[in-house]
């Protein structure tokens, strides 16, 4: 239990079981939200206060509120899973709490005690437990975030007031194609992050600046953008909402955390459990030329993307302004599928959890 005590107000207009079941039959990703949300306010000199679980609903904010103008905002993404025995669990929520605070520090925002972060998730999931899908592979996506709420246009000092919130959304696969291989677009025109910037932070501004490249990816018949380094646009960093792994036989290689990419919790989990599957996993730099040549020679056998929303998603082909190639035969490979099954097995409780990652909520 944290020091803050949460006021709890249940939603008198919560949706009926029939309405909920209709949503859960086909939840999509991030489209429908549950009946409650968590809010906690912060005031400089006072700290965090007015913690509450309350009915989900719109916010009333002054148009001059800082977040609208200067994007002082950070967020997280994690899921609650319904396990076979009926328990509802989260996956490594303390890792999300720690990353959230690293993002807050970079954006000059107040850190939230890790135990408050975890308690806020627990309260929301317990209140809305009936919204946690029972369909295999579906889950309740949790979105904690903090926004700067000070009213005023000055930029001489960061906001002195903030609001932390958590909302939840039942979700199916992030990619409509489920576990089919995706096609990725090499962004050589735009840059996501440069050293000293906010690449390692999960802040809204990173995603705002990425939409133009994501739109370009879609216009080129691709599902997602691949970001490259800021200087040469040659070294692979990550994708729009997930990290990348290159498979060389039984060796997994993922780009190193140089400060410009997000330290994915799925990425870290795969680096850790690879040895349990008899695979080696390590960090290593890779250029787009090495990627293309490795696929042509057969040295790179598979590539996959990983993240909370994407789970483990095979990458089947790559397209850039001046090149295009297929990875393997373009279909999901066996190593990718083993890694995916292991991750889902730990999350849904059908495999052992030797690293102690599963956090029971109720
Ligand atoms: N990279 C970016 C840019 C992301 O938005 C995400 C998703 O959160 C990831 C990587 C994967 O991180 P995680 O595995 O913690 O979900
Ligand atoms: C996640 O995987 O949690 C993400 O945040 C990816 C994307 C939806 C932004």
């Amino acid at each position: 239990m944290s020091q803050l005590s949460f006021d709890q107000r249940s939603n008198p207009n919560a949706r009926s079981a029939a309405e909920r079941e209709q949503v859960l039959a086909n939840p999509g990703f991030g489209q429908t939200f549950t009946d409650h949300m968590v809010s906690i306010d912060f005031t400089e000199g006072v700290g965090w206060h007015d913690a509450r679980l309350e009915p989900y609903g719109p916010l009333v904010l002054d148009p001059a509120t800082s977040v609208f103008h200067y994007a002082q905002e950070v967020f997280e993404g994690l899921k609650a899973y319904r396990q076979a025995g009926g328990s509802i669990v989260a996956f490594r929520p303390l890792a999300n709490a720690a990353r959230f605070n690293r993002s807050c520090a970079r954006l000059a925002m107040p850190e939230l005690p890790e135990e408050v972060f975890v308690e806020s998730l627990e309260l929301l999931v317990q209140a809305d437990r009936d919204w946690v899908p029972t369909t295999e592979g579906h889950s309740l996506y949790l979105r904690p975030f903090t926004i700067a709420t000070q009213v005023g246009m000055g930029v001489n000092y960061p906001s002195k007031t903030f609001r932390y919130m958590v909302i939840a959304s039942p979700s199916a696969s992030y990619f409509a194609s489920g576990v089919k291989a995706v096609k990725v677009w090499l962004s050589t025109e735009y840059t996501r992050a440069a050293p000293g910037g906010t690449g390692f932070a999960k802040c809204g501004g990173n995603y705002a600046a990425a939409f133009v490249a994501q739109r370009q990816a879609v216009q080129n018949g691709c599902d997602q953008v691949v970001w490259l380094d800021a200087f040469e646009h040659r070294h692979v960093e990550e994708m729009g909402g997930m990290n990348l792994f290159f498979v060389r036989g039984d060796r997994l290689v993922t780009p190193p955390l140089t400060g410009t990419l997000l330290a994915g919790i799925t990425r870290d989990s795969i680096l850790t459990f690879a040895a349990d599957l008899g695979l080696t996993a390590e960090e290593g730099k890779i250029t787009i030329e090495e990627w293309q040549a490795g696929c042509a020679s057969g040295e790179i056998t598979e590539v996959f993307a990983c993240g909370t929303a994407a789970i483990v998603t095979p990458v089947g082909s790559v397209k850039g302004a001046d090149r295009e190639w297929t990875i393997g035969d373009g279909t999901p490979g066996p190593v990718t599928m083993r890694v995916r099954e292991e991750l889902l097995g730990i999350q849904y409780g059908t495999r052992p959890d030797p690293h102690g990652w599963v956090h029971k909520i109720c």
Side-chain angles (χ1 to χ4, degrees):
M1 283 288 280
S2 63
Q3 300 285 313
L4 276 175
S5 111
F6 281 79
D7 189 35
Q8 300 193 34
R9 198 155 55 84
S10 63
N11 189 343
N13 300 313
R15 272 147 299 175
S16 68
E19 286 170 307
R20 197 172 54 234
E21 289 314 316
Q22 200 180 352
V23 172
L24 292 179
N26 187 14
F29 180 83
Q31 288 163 19
T32 309
F33 298 88
T34 63
D35 293 315
H36 296 90
M37 61 187 191
V38 163
S39 305
I40 315 178
D41 292 316
F42 178 91
T43 306
E44 199 171 283
V46 176
W48 292 103
H49 58 92
D50 289 311
R52 56 213 184 264
L53 175 83
E54 58 190 347
Y56 184 93
L59 307 180
V60 177
L61 291 171
D62 191 291
T65 301
S66 177
V67 65
F68 296 140
H69 304 273
Y70 307 126
Q72 205 184 356
E73 187 267 0
V74 302
F75 69 96
E76 267 303 324
L78 72 164
K79 287 172 170 172
Y81 306 86
R82 192 181 289 277
Q83 295 201 327
S87 312
I88 298 172
V89 306
F91 184 68
R92 305 186 68 184
L94 278 167
N96 291 90
R99 185 173 67 188
F100 191 60
N101 283 338
R102 294 198 298 275
S103 301
C104 289
R106 176 63 184 82
L107 274 284
M109 297 169 68
E111 298 181 21
L112 186 72
E114 290 183 1
E115 68 277 10
V116 177
F117 180 95
V118 173
E119 187 181 358
S120 70
L121 306 177
E122 290 172 344
L123 283 177
L124 182 57
V125 172
Q126 282 159 6
D128 286 337
R129 58 184 300 155
D130 292 340
W131 284 93
V132 182
T134 47
T135 307
E136 200 184 324
H138 293 191
S139 54
L140 185 67
Y141 184 79
L142 304 172
R143 171 54 63 86
F145 61 100
T146 296
I147 55 171
T149 52
Q150 187 161 317
V151 174
M153 301 276 173
V155 288
N156 52 344
Y157 199 79
S159 179
K160 292 185 163 97
T161 58
F162 294 88
R163 180 169 298 173
Y164 166 79
M165 302 191 71
V166 192
I167 54 175
S169 174
S171 74
S173 267
Y174 183 64
F175 290 111
S177 61
V179 78
K180 281 219 296 285
V182 296
K183 184 167 182 175
V184 297
W185 169 253
L186 299 175
S187 182
T188 43
E189 186 178 351
Y190 300 107
T191 298
R192 176 181 177 277
T198 57
F200 69 89
K202 205 159 166 62
C203 58
N206 287 346
Y207 298 78
F211 282 124
V212 66
Q214 177 61 25
R215 183 173 60 193
Q216 208 172 49
V218 172
Q219 283 166 348
N220 279 280
C222 297
D223 302 282
Q224 266 273 331
V225 57
V226 172
W227 292 104
L228 306 168
D229 72 280
F231 298 108
E232 298 180 85
H233 285 132
R234 284 179 64 225
H235 291 93
V236 178
E237 298 214 319
E238 63 176 327
M239 302 220 310
M242 51 213 82
N243 295 110
L244 276 167
F245 274 89
F246 297 82
V247 183
R248 299 167 183 269
D250 58 9
R251 196 156 62 91
L252 308 180
V253 184
T254 189
L257 300 178
T258 50
T260 50
L261 57 152
L262 195 77
I265 290 154
T266 319
R267 173 190 180 279
D268 181 73
S269 306
I270 294 169
L271 281 171
T272 306
F273 76 56
D276 305 343
L277 304 183
L279 302 166
T280 58
E282 63 202 23
E283 295 184 332
K285 288 192 167 196
I286 179 162
T287 63
I288 50 176
E289 291 82 10
E290 287 163 350
W291 183 358
Q292 185 170 14
C295 290
S297 70
E299 198 202 323
I300 295 176
T301 43
E302 302 170 36
V303 175
F304 62 83
C306 66
T308 298
I311 316 173
V312 169
T313 296
V315 179
S317 55
V318 189
K319 188 173 178 185
D322 58 356
R323 62 187 83 215
E324 191 166 352
W325 71 93
T326 303
I327 300 159
D329 64 2
T331 64
V335 175
T336 301
M337 295 313 284
R338 257 171 78 205
V339 169
R340 183 182 162 91
E341 279 155 26
E342 180 69 14
L343 179 68
L344 286 170
I346 297 172
Q347 292 169 335
Y348 285 93
T350 56
R351 302 251 168 125
D353 173 29
H355 306 283
W357 288 332
V358 168
H359 176 96
K360 186 167 173 187
I361 294 180
C362 53

